[in-house]
């Protein structure tokens, strides 16, 4: 134990950790974020301001002397890469300004990352995150596991103007490893309803412009359509949400989201329901079943669609499969972290069970 403790101390003492950040008018969030990074014992904190009108810069300078300003060009990757160019650590932790490590886990950051650095097997780390209101109350979409730390090396840089991700020069993505929630956890206040409205307006303009430029680039267009389905749906532009989802489903691109990958099909279904288009609901359900055979929802939607047409015998196997998938989904902790079972979350699972009982009683 003494030898292990000494080795851990030696590794931690030679390991350098950079914390990087971009910000704009983040005065409300910065103190919590930067305090958690300071208490995580980062060797340096580097911040790029993209045009703050509030006192964000003054707050940032209370925590670090590495604060600089860059013009905002509508490109999140360009801004983040400008910060990365100044990083000198062995690994980088790169949270958003509205994210901060919990008090229980921030002291583990150096240990976790220095262990990965010493092992040399992984170059990117997914960190569990809980989404909370500005007052730290849990939000309905309560958890995710985004990539927030990676090896600091010149061939790892951000790509895509929005919803940026870290990649090699040929745009391939490193294979990440996930931190345990007990070791590292972030809290995120950026999904508060009052903030999401402003973000959605900004994001939609950037996404649409980027999608037009990506025409012909299969991977980038596919990646942007993933996000466009959600933003169009949020703006009640249902036909455009369906069009983006159909493009996403039809693409032969290789990229798949590590979390919430089923989301385009959720938005496709919801948009079709909002339009009252039964054929589109069926199409979305069938596509969802093909792309995500372990998700309960598309099987349920397909079964309900058949049931509503009076084809109860054909509907029954789909309803039963949806219930079985939901039950197994609930037992799979990793799956629950990456996706949402809306049947269980909404209570619709009870309706399905009632329909199954009704059909079986009629058949007997």
């Amino acid at each position: 134990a003494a030898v292990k403790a000494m080795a851990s101390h030696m590794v931690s003492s030679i390991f350098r950790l950079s914390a990087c950040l971009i910000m704009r008018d983040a005065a409300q969030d910065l103190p919590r974020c930067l305090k958690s990074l300071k208490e995580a014992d980062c060797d340096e904190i580097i911040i790029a301001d993209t045009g703050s009108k509030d006192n964000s810069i003054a707050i940032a300078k209370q925590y670090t002397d590495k604060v600089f300003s860059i013009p905002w060009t509508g490109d999140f990757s360009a801004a983040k890469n400008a910060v990365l160019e100044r990083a000198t650590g062995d690994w980088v932790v790169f949270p958003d300004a509205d994210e901060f490590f919990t008090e229980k886990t921030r002291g583990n950051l150096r240990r976790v990352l220095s262990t990965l650095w010493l092992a040399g097997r992984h170059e990117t780390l997914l960190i569990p995150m809980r989404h909370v209101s500005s007052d730290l109350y849990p939000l309905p979409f309560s958890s995710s596991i985004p990539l927030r730390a990676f090896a600091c090396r010149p061939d790892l840089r951000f790509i895509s103007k929005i919803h940026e991700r870290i990649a090699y020069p040929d745009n391939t993505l490193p294979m990440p490893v996930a931190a345990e929630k007990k070791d590292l956890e972030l809290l995120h206040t950026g999904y508060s309803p009052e903030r999401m409205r402003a973000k959605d307006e900004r994001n939609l303009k950037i996404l649409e412009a980027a999608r037009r430029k990506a025409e012909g680039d299969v991977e980038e267009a596919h990646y942007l359509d993933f996000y466009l389905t959600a933003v169009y749906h949020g703006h009640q532009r249902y036909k455009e949400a369906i069009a983006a989802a159909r493009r996403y489903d039809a693409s032969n691109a290789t990229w798949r989201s590590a979390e919430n990958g089923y989301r385009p099909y959720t938005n496709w279904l919801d948009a079709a329901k909002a339009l009252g288009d039964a054929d589109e609901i069926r199409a979305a359900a069938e596509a969802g079943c093909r792309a995500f055979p372990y998700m309960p929802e598309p099987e349920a939607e397909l079964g309900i669609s058949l049931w509503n047409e009076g084809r109860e015998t054909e509907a029954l196997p789909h309803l039963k499969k949806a219930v079985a998938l939901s039950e197994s989904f609930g037992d799979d902790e990793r799956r629950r972290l990456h996706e949402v079972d809306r049947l269980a979350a909404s209570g619709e699972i009870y309706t399905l069970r009632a329909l199954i009982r009704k059909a079986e009683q009629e058949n007997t």
Side-chain angles (χ1 to χ4, degrees), residues 28-198:
Q28 180 180 346
D29 302 304
L30 271 180
R32 281 192 294 215
C33 177
L34 297 181
K35 181 174 183 286
S36 81
L37 294 175
K38 272 288 187 184
E39 293 180 358
D41 195 22
C42 296
D43 293 288
E44 61 182 358
I45 300 175
I46 312 167
I47 302 175
D49 183 79
T50 62
S52 291
K53 300 294 193 294
D54 62 9
N55 63 333
S56 292
I57 293 177
I59 293 172
K61 286 182 176 179
Q62 295 174 22
Y63 294 87
T64 177
D65 60 356
K66 297 184 177 182
V67 182
F68 63 100
S69 297
I70 57 174
W72 175 242
T73 63
D75 188 331
F76 284 94
S77 284
K80 288 190 171 184
N81 287 334
V83 185
L84 271 185
E85 293 295 334
R86 293 166 167 80
T88 64
D90 297 295
W91 267 63
V92 172
V93 59
F94 211 132
D96 290 342
D98 53 12
E99 299 169 359
F100 55 98
F101 286 97
T102 62
E103 290 187 15
K104 288 184 178 180
T105 67
R106 61 187 58 166
N108 298 330
L109 183 62
R110 283 189 68 85
R111 174 180 60 80
V112 171
L113 296 183
S114 63
T115 301
L116 290 175
W117 170 69
L118 187 64
R121 291 194 300 271
H122 299 283
E123 294 178 332
T124 52
L125 180 69
L126 305 170
I127 300 179
M129 177 185 289
R130 276 187 290 141
H131 304 292
V132 296
S133 69
S134 299
D135 297 327
L136 305 187
Y137 288 103
L139 294 175
F141 32 93
S142 57
S143 65
S144 60
I145 185 164
L147 195 155
R148 286 295 183 267
F150 48 90
C152 186
R153 40 185 293 174
D155 60 344
L156 280 178
R157 289 294 183 265
F158 287 97
I159 61 171
S160 296
K161 287 190 173 183
I162 188 169
H163 297 299
E164 58 288 351
R165 70 262 203 222
I166 204 76
Y168 295 114
D170 63 358
N171 287 352
T172 59
L173 309 181
M175 183 63 68
V177 63
E180 295 290 338
K181 187 176 178 180
K182 63 181 177 58
D183 293 328
L184 288 177
E185 185 180 32
L186 286 161
L187 298 181
H188 174 229
T189 60
Y191 284 166
S192 303
E194 65 274 13
R195 297 186 177 195
M196 283 304 295
R197 285 187 289 273

Side-chain angles (χ1 to χ4, degrees), residues 239-261:
K239 290 184 178 179
E240 289 162 292
I242 290 171
R246 280 186 169 276
R247 290 195 304 267
Y248 180 86
D249 180 62
S251 173
N252 60 0
T254 58
W255 178 83
R256 292 292 182 273
S257 177
E259 57 176 341
N260 301 320

